[in-house]
Amino acid sequence: MVATRARILNTSSELFGRQGYAGTGMNEIVAKAEAALGSIYHFFPGGKDQLCEETIRASGRIYLELIEAVLDEASDIGQGVDDFFSGAAAQVVATDFADACPIATIALEVASTNEDLRRATADVFESWLNAASQRLEQAGIAPLQARRLSLFALSALEGAFVLSRAQRNVDAIDAAGSYVTAVIREALPRSRRQRREPGDEPRN
Amino acid sequence: MVATRARILNTSSELFGRQGYAGTGMNEIVAKAEAALGSIYHFFPGGKDQLCEETIRASGRIYLELIEAVLDEASDIGQGVDDFFSGAAAQVVATDFADACPIATIALEVASTNEDLRRATADVFESWLNAASQRLEQAGIAPLQARRLSLFALSALEGAFVLSRAQRNVDAIDAAGSYVTAVIREALPRSRRQRREPGDEPRN
DNA sequence: GTCTATAAACCGATAGAC
DNA sequence: GTCTATCGGTTTATAGAC
């Protein structure tokens, strides 16, 4: 049995991510979460703003864990980035182009209208950037370049999500993934560069 | 004297771009446009949906012209892409991180909820991609690679806009711009590659 | 903690005078 | 073409029984 509070957060994450903050109603959330309207104000007395902020931070944490898991399970950071873009494309297709980044829609909506929520999205992006930077540094890249590569990679991923959802195909994710992966492999110290060649065994 | 219809479209472009579709009300638009509520339904009898679709297509056309102008005025395509990212960063700063891509917020909001509007955003993105592809081909890049490079460059730009608005700095645009420019310069035929060296004269 | 009823404000949209 | 009054519906949020 999933607790009501968690059911509300799961549902709000899905709906805010797909339709945005203003486009998602409290009634819609409780209906889909099979909860009472009173429950949402019981667990989130701050109302819609509080629910949204907690949703941003909760889904941000889950996505952070995904980033860390995919990067850490790969044989090297280049392969990890490649895997992440491939997995993202698969997820977008599996959800019929509905679920891509859990916070990007909200981030654009609130950037100029709600300072608390803007800061929440900034904090989440920062956590993802730090996770990526840290692993690029472990692969031998200097801190400043690791930070810039992370900003570049996350930008390409986020923008590819925008294009993919609008175009209903994953061409942008495929293209962004292959160029970003190439740039990161080029940035690695020569001794640690690896590349899967046509004759290699598939790794998964 | 600016006509009422144009004043409404200019205002809706600004507000939809900054706050999204659901987050912008008809009353807010007419108030800021200094028009009567009746006028909006006179010029856009289809209501909010029609206004938004025309806004997407109109602002998309204006941004297309900007893309074409910046790319065509540069000495070569690499410099043009570099200039575009620099100009985008300047614009974002000048508007206090409010105006970046005119349609990205709407695109994410409507991708899974309004098929007509989704198609409008897809059409606009397609027009931008075609403009970029065409110029990459003129620079000697094969059509298929030109298309993939355009998808990659636009993805990086769009995602950098998301991060920049959320973080309230242009680090993402700077990083994305420099890596995208480098990738495109690498893709050019050796004979047409140009790079500004430290000793060169500034071109503008 | 859950549920329903409802308040108070706001939404998109329409009617009709001018 | 412009303006205002207003309709009907939905929104967020609260009250209070259970």
Side-chain angles (χ1 to χ4, degrees):
Chain A
M1 232 298 248
V2 184
T4 303
R5 199 190 130 96
R7 232 165 48 241
I8 290 172
L9 269 178
N10 286 339
T11 305
S12 63
S13 177
E14 192 174 301
L15 293 178
F16 283 143
R18 288 180 183 177
Q19 314 170 341
Y21 175 70
T24 303
M26 299 293 263
N27 279 311
E28 190 182 359
I29 293 170
V30 291
K32 189 162 189 191
E34 296 184 273
L37 182 61
S39 297
I40 216 173
Y41 288 95
H42 171 74
F43 290 111
F44 307 93
K48 194 180 183 182
D49 279 9
Q50 185 190 344
L51 172 61
C52 189
E53 177 163 348
E54 291 206 36
T55 301
I56 291 166
R57 298 193 187 277
S59 55
R61 212 171 306 120
I62 291 171
Y63 210 71
L64 171 64
E65 286 163 17
L66 177 68
I67 292 171
E68 293 174 333
V70 173
L71 294 187
D72 289 342
E73 279 166 22
S75 54
D76 67 294
I77 185 72
Q79 190 59 43
V81 170
D82 206 0
D83 290 348
F84 197 88
F85 275 87
S86 302
Q91 164 76 357
V92 166
V93 168
T95 59
D96 196 31
F97 303 94
D99 296 339
C101 174
I103 69 162
T105 312
I106 310 172
L108 286 178
E109 271 185 291
V110 304
S112 305
T113 58
N114 187 317
E115 182 61 12
D116 288 343
L117 295 184
R118 180 202 67 76
R119 177 161 288 118
T121 64
D123 289 346
V124 168
F125 284 135
E126 194 57 40
S127 74
W128 299 350
L129 291 168
N130 284 338
S133 277
Q134 185 186 320
R135 282 156 181 83
L136 288 167
E137 288 182 39
Q138 281 165 359
I141 296 176
L144 209 129
Q145 197 191 1
R147 169 77 184 180
R148 284 169 58 80
L149 277 171
S150 300
L151 280 165
F152 161 64
L154 183 56
S155 292
L157 178 71
E158 291 290 349
F161 280 152
V162 177
L163 292 183
S164 285
R165 291 192 65 208
Q167 302 196 311
R168 292 187 64 83
N169 66 54
V170 291
D171 292 356
I173 301 176
D174 289 345
S178 68
Y179 286 113
V180 167
T181 302
V183 167
I184 285 176
R185 286 191 165 130
E186 286 281 326
L188 292 174
R190 204 165 299 274
S191 63
R192 302 177 74 157
R193 235 175 272 175
Q194 289 179 249
R195 191 178 294 265
R196 223 166 67 197
E197 298 296 334
D200 286 7
E201 284 231 304
R203 215 174 304 265
N204 42 346
Chain B
M1 232 299 246
V2 184
T4 303
R5 199 191 131 97
R7 231 164 50 239
I8 291 172
L9 269 179
N10 286 339
T11 304
S12 64
S13 177
E14 193 175 299
L15 294 178
F16 283 144
R18 289 179 182 177
Q19 316 171 338
Y21 176 70
T24 303
M26 299 293 262
N27 280 311
E28 190 182 1
I29 292 170
V30 291
K32 189 161 189 192
E34 296 183 274
L37 182 61
S39 297
I40 216 173
Y41 289 95
H42 171 75
F43 291 111
F44 307 93
K48 195 180 185 183
D49 279 8
Q50 185 190 344
L51 172 61
C52 188
E53 177 163 349
E54 292 206 35
T55 301
I56 291 167
R57 298 193 187 277
S59 55
R61 213 172 305 120
I62 290 172
Y63 210 70
L64 171 64
E65 286 162 18
L66 177 68
I67 294 171
E68 293 174 333
V70 173
L71 295 186
D72 289 342
E73 278 165 23
S75 54
D76 67 295
I77 185 72
Q79 190 59 44
V81 170
D82 207 359
D83 290 347
F84 198 87
F85 276 87
S86 302
Q91 164 77 357
V92 166
V93 169
T95 60
D96 196 33
F97 304 94
D99 296 338
C101 174
I103 68 161
T105 312
I106 310 172
L108 286 178
E109 270 185 291
V110 304
S112 305
T113 57
N114 187 318
E115 181 61 11
D116 288 343
L117 295 184
R118 180 201 67 77
R119 177 161 288 119
T121 63
D123 289 346
V124 168
F125 285 135
E126 194 57 39
S127 74
W128 298 350
L129 292 167
N130 285 338
S133 277
Q134 186 187 319
R135 281 156 182 83
L136 288 167
E137 288 182 39
Q138 283 165 358
I141 295 175
L144 209 129
Q145 198 192 0
R147 169 78 184 178
R148 284 169 57 80
L149 277 170
S150 300
L151 281 165
F152 160 63
L154 183 56
S155 293
L157 178 71
E158 290 290 350
F161 280 152
V162 177
L163 293 183
S164 285
R165 291 191 64 207
Q167 303 196 312
R168 291 187 66 83
N169 67 53
V170 291
D171 293 356
I173 302 177
D174 289 345
S178 69
Y179 286 113
V180 167
T181 302
V183 167
I184 285 176
R185 286 192 166 129
E186 286 281 326
L188 293 173
R190 203 164 301 271
S191 63
R192 303 178 73 157
R193 236 177 273 175
Q194 290 177 248
R195 191 179 296 260
R196 222 162 71 191
E197 299 295 336
D200 285 8
E201 283 232 302
R203 217 174 301 268
N204 43 340

